[in-house]
Amino acid sequence: MGCGVFRAGETRPEHPAFPLPFGKQVTITSEFIVEPKNNHSISAVKFLDVNRYFGEVRAVDGVNLEVRDGEFFSMLGPSGSGKTTCLRMIAGFDRPTAGQIFLYEQDVSRLPPYERSVNTVFQDYALFPHMTVGENIAYGLMIKKVPRLEQSRRVEEMLELMQLSGMTGRKPAQLSGGQRQRVALARALINHPKVLLLDEPLGALDLKLRQQMQSELKAIQKKVGITFIYVTHDQEEALTMSDRIAVFNHGRIEQVGSPAEIYEHPRTPFVAGFVGVSNLVSGEVATRITGRPEPFSIRPEKIHLASQEENPGEDQYIVDGVVRDVVYLGLYTRYMVELEGGGDLVVVEQNLRTTSMDVLQSRGQPVRLSWHRDHIRRLGA
Amino acid sequence: MRSKSYSGAQASWGLKIAAFLTLLFLHVPIWIIFLYSFTPDETTYTFPLPGFTTRWFGVALGRSDLWSALTLSLRVAAVATLAALVLGTLAAAAVYRSNFFGKESVSFLLVLPIALPGIVTGIALRTAIGGLEIPFSFWTIVIGHATFCVVVVYNNVLARFRRTSGSLVEASMDLGANAFQTFRYVIFPNIATALLAGGMLAFALSFDEVIVTTFTSGQQTTLPIWIFSQLTRPRDRPVTNVAALIVILITFVPIFLAQRLTAESSETGESKSG
């Protein structure tokens, strides 16, 4: 992975920059501060050269990472990229082959799960089937021998926060997917963990419910002010909820940054392709457009589509081509443009004035593509 | 057979008769034993009964050889079942939880004793006991029985483990429970009914075992061996029937209870999926 520092155009000096252990400068923006009591200069979780091998397979390969106190942090990546293994190592279900993991400055690399003050929301929720909702939620308190009266008081509190009032006596089997999800969340949060780990908790829900739970999760996180570490392969989910995102690939971190940074300034071809849709341009085509052979990425929505007579300004990159394919998607239209002299680009345009009739007729038409010079992202090797 | 919907539809007459005949086939021999426990005629099976008497119960009560055989069988079955519960659960946990070299072979070797003819297990144990010069005792019978009792517990518990979500254990540890607490509050309640069913089966298997026992008991007499030896004494036949009746009662009650227990838990326990 590229380990250079952010270029000047990407750092914003008006915000404090935090040095990361692997030499990156990442900025934060003001919307990260969810509650004044959270101190972002405190690291909640820190990975120091963490490796985890399963035989020959390097599931986690030299990861350095710092999650700050009180932030909503996502680990994003395809399956097998090492994000879940990282989460399991924070929880204590797995131990690093080499390297150290710190939880609020304490080295927890060798501690068993029950000696770490982190709690997990599991992908399959892992509710205890033989216990009622109330017993499930109170489990952590029961183990800690909290007095019964306080147990039931805190369970009630949790049920209210999760909008589960009146469900105390039910068994998990009698709940819907969304309710189970909330019980699992309540069962973890009641222990006031220092860090809450969430392992693709919304994966089993349908789209509507998932979107609703996304905003609920975010709201709950703001309310309780606990550091959330959220594992997902869904880039939209990560962009929606996170304060910061780490993009994983092949056991390594490709990039860490705010959703906007990750989306607007992808630093590797992988990030550009995995987060959102991107045109990756390299080699001869890149030279023809920009005059330099460096590969770059350009988002489809940044490209302007016009007739070949039009002459865009000096600050634009220009390339001519022919529309090969048109997909009308209601809100917007996706064009596949074959460039003169080879290569193609995907262009997305909102249907502000055009109708489906108009756009479908553009098939086979010669067009001129242009975009602002600032909108391309040069990608390191 | 005509196909009908599963719910509410009446079964055809043919099916009803078939079911009735099957029940007769299974239970008539048991009724015969029940019936002839009350016959005054001690040597022959005549029907209808020449009279009605309960004196064989008194005779049976007075037979100390019957009672010592019965208590020996109960003690052996209880200890063998207990050993099977502990060993079978541990073996199932090991095979389910961890991956080790030769795991499949271990699983196969555990199940083998129940597939092996009892006579082979018996002669093997006899040779081992003789070779090591171990005197025949209560414990040699228990060891013989444990070989096949472990299997039924192992199978039951392993099946339950496979149906239970693996993350339950992790969830429990995550919420602060150590290994012991996790076993007590999460694993045990989830496998309890499997242990009960496996234990019942192990007990029943041990209680009526004859073949392996003849090789490992020496001069001791368990109840099945006692009943077997009674065949050569036709005058004691009603006493034998009374003994058989006691066995039926001893096995009926726990199996009836176990069925009710497992039926209840399977109604509420099917929450693992989803």
Side-chain angles (χ1 to χ4, degrees):
Chain A
M1 67 191 248
C3 249
V5 289
F6 271 79
R7 278 174 302 280
E10 291 170 357
T11 43
R12 291 174 230 171
E14 67 267 29
H15 294 295
F18 289 94
L20 288 186
F22 44 104
K24 284 179 185 165
Q25 295 280 308
V26 179
T27 58
I28 58 160
T29 52
S30 56
E31 66 259 27
F32 290 146
I33 289 115
V34 287
E35 277 193 10
K37 68 168 179 158
N38 293 323
N39 188 345
H40 283 236
S41 62
I42 297 176
S43 82
V45 175
K46 193 156 91 186
F47 277 55
L48 213 64
D49 289 318
V50 172
N51 293 293
R52 178 70 177 102
Y53 304 152
F54 296 105
E56 288 294 296
V57 184
R58 300 183 159 206
V60 173
D61 191 6
V63 164
N64 286 291
L65 180 67
E66 192 169 316
V67 179
R68 298 169 197 145
D69 181 45
E71 76 177 336
F72 196 122
F73 191 90
S74 287
M75 296 182 176
L76 174 68
S79 49
S81 59
K83 57 192 192 311
T84 299
T85 308
C86 280
L87 192 83
R88 292 175 57 82
M89 286 193 290
I90 303 173
F93 305 139
D94 214 334
R95 286 172 190 187
T97 312
Q100 285 168 294
I101 296 171
F102 295 89
L103 192 67
Y104 287 92
E105 309 297 319
Q106 185 201 0
D107 184 355
V108 296
S109 316
R110 307 280 142 195
L111 288 185
Y114 49 87
E115 284 173 20
R116 307 178 180 206
S117 71
V118 295
N119 287 115
T120 309
V121 176
F122 292 82
Q123 193 167 12
D124 63 353
Y125 314 138
L127 300 179
F128 305 124
H130 58 288
M131 295 184 190
T132 63
V133 167
E135 288 165 342
N136 262 289
I137 297 176
Y139 189 83
L141 303 182
M142 186 266 289
I143 293 293
K144 274 186 226 124
K145 302 200 167 57
V146 171
R148 283 212 164 261
L149 223 66
E150 198 193 331
Q151 276 187 36
S152 47
R153 185 183 60 76
R154 279 166 70 176
V155 167
E156 277 308 315
E157 214 175 86
M158 270 296 146
L159 288 168
E160 197 151 318
L161 179 69
M162 298 296 158
Q163 297 161 28
L164 284 167
S165 304
M167 301 277 181
T168 332
R170 299 228 189 143
K171 287 278 179 77
Q174 295 166 294
L175 301 179
S176 70
Q179 289 168 334
R180 280 182 211 176
Q181 155 80 65
R182 282 199 277 252
V183 174
L185 202 56
R187 185 179 68 174
L189 281 177
I190 198 168
N191 305 296
H192 302 314
K194 286 180 177 161
V195 176
L196 184 75
L197 309 172
L198 301 105
D199 184 9
E200 309 212 15
L202 306 184
L205 306 179
D206 60 68
L207 185 65
K208 265 269 163 60
L209 199 54
R210 200 156 69 221
Q211 286 170 344
Q212 184 196 333
M213 283 304 298
Q214 281 173 11
S215 49
E216 261 181 55
L217 264 181
K218 183 77 191 171
I220 288 167
Q221 195 258 343
K222 279 195 173 160
K223 205 161 176 178
V224 296
I226 292 174
T227 310
F228 276 34
I229 300 183
Y230 190 95
V231 159
T232 182
H233 63 265
D234 183 337
Q235 44 103 4
E236 196 188 309
E237 211 164 270
L239 293 174
T240 311
M241 292 190 287
S242 319
D243 296 325
R244 286 195 309 147
I245 300 172
V247 183
F248 279 73
N249 187 30
H250 294 308
R252 291 164 166 272
I253 293 181
E254 297 261 335
Q255 189 176 357
V256 181
S258 71
E261 281 166 357
I262 296 276
Y263 187 81
E264 307 255 347
H265 309 285
R267 284 207 294 123
T268 67
F270 176 80
V271 176
F274 191 75
V275 182
V277 183
S278 244
N279 291 296
L280 293 179
V281 186
S282 60
E284 193 210 329
V285 187
T287 316
R288 224 172 49 235
I289 297 173
T290 64
R292 289 154 70 184
E294 257 183 295
F296 67 89
S297 75
I298 177 76
R299 297 280 177 195
E301 72 271 17
K302 302 284 190 202
I303 302 178
H304 180 63
L305 194 97
S307 78
Q308 292 197 343
E309 284 79 57
E310 205 163 305
N311 211 351
E314 275 300 296
D315 52 356
Q316 306 273 315
Y317 282 125
I318 301 158
V319 63
D320 287 346
V322 174
V323 176
R324 273 289 152 249
D325 203 5
V326 181
V327 183
Y328 180 74
L329 292 159
L331 190 62
Y332 57 90
T333 302
R334 194 165 62 219
Y335 302 87
M336 170 79 89
V337 179
E338 195 180 296
L339 305 180
E340 275 173 18
D344 42 44
L345 287 176
V346 174
V347 181
V348 168
E349 288 228 314
Q350 259 192 291
N351 295 321
L352 293 176
R353 285 172 292 273
T354 43
T355 67
S356 62
M357 287 298 289
D358 302 336
V359 300
L360 290 175
Q361 274 169 6
S362 64
R363 201 180 305 235
Q365 298 285 318
V367 287
R368 175 160 293 172
L369 304 181
S370 59
W371 60 88
H372 199 275
R373 283 169 186 260
D374 286 350
H375 285 156
I376 66 162
R377 294 297 140 220
R378 297 194 188 277
L379 302 165
Chain B
M1 231 183 306
R2 273 169 299 156
S3 63
K4 300 216 171 177
S5 69
Y6 317 122
S7 54
Q10 281 274 318
S12 71
W13 277 105
L15 192 59
K16 278 182 180 167
I17 291 167
F20 182 71
L21 286 177
T22 309
L23 278 177
L24 274 188
F25 174 73
L26 288 175
H27 290 277
V28 161
I30 296 171
W31 293 341
I32 289 175
I33 283 175
F34 184 75
L35 207 59
Y36 286 96
S37 304
F38 299 98
T39 180
D41 180 3
E42 55 199 47
T43 49
T44 54
Y45 288 110
T46 47
F47 192 83
L49 297 186
F52 181 86
T53 176
T54 53
R55 80 183 162 96
W56 301 116
F57 286 84
V59 174
L61 270 175
R63 290 278 295 265
S64 63
D65 57 335
L66 165 59
W67 290 108
S68 67
L70 178 64
T71 46
L72 178 65
S73 270
L74 285 174
R75 278 169 57 219
V76 167
V79 176
T81 303
L82 207 66
L85 286 176
V86 175
L87 296 177
T89 307
L90 291 177
V95 168
Y96 175 71
R97 289 271 294 160
S98 46
N99 254 318
F100 50 87
F101 177 73
K103 176 173 154 175
E104 293 306 311
S105 328
V106 167
S107 192
F108 175 72
L109 286 174
L110 275 166
V111 184
L112 195 61
I114 206 147
L116 228 52
I119 198 95
V120 176
T121 313
I123 197 83
L125 281 166
R126 177 64 166 246
T127 314
I129 290 168
L132 296 172
E133 290 177 5
I134 301 167
F136 289 113
S137 69
F138 170 75
W139 292 104
T140 52
I141 308 178
V142 168
I143 289 168
H145 287 193
T147 56
F148 52 83
C149 288
V150 168
V151 186
V152 293
V153 175
Y154 167 81
N155 272 340
N156 264 289
V157 174
L158 187 63
R160 178 62 55 89
F161 275 147
R162 290 198 169 131
R163 266 175 48 202
T164 313
S165 159
S167 49
L168 290 186
V169 172
E170 286 185 349
S172 169
M173 302 270 236
D174 188 66
L175 293 164
N178 58 29
F180 174 73
Q181 290 166 319
T182 299
F183 180 81
R184 183 175 157 201
Y185 296 117
V186 175
I187 301 176
F188 183 73
N190 269 297
I191 64 168
T193 50
L195 284 176
L196 189 69
M200 287 297 181
L201 199 54
F203 191 92
L205 278 177
S206 165
F207 193 67
D208 77 347
E209 218 289 329
V210 178
I211 304 169
V212 175
T213 317
T214 47
F215 286 96
T216 57
S217 62
Q219 297 303 309
Q220 307 163 93
T221 310
T222 61
L223 191 64
I225 291 181
W226 181 86
I227 292 175
F228 199 61
S229 69
Q230 290 296 104
L231 281 179
T232 53
R233 303 165 69 180
R235 294 203 142 267
D236 282 348
R237 196 165 285 159
V239 179
T240 315
N241 287 345
V242 169
L245 208 59
I246 294 168
V247 173
I248 291 170
L249 283 178
I250 287 176
T251 44
F252 176 79
V253 174
I255 286 182
F256 178 74
L257 288 178
Q259 273 227 327
R260 291 198 52 166
L261 277 174
T262 46
E264 272 169 24
S265 75
S266 64
E267 274 165 30
T268 53
E270 293 308 315
S271 53
K272 282 104 195 168
S273 58

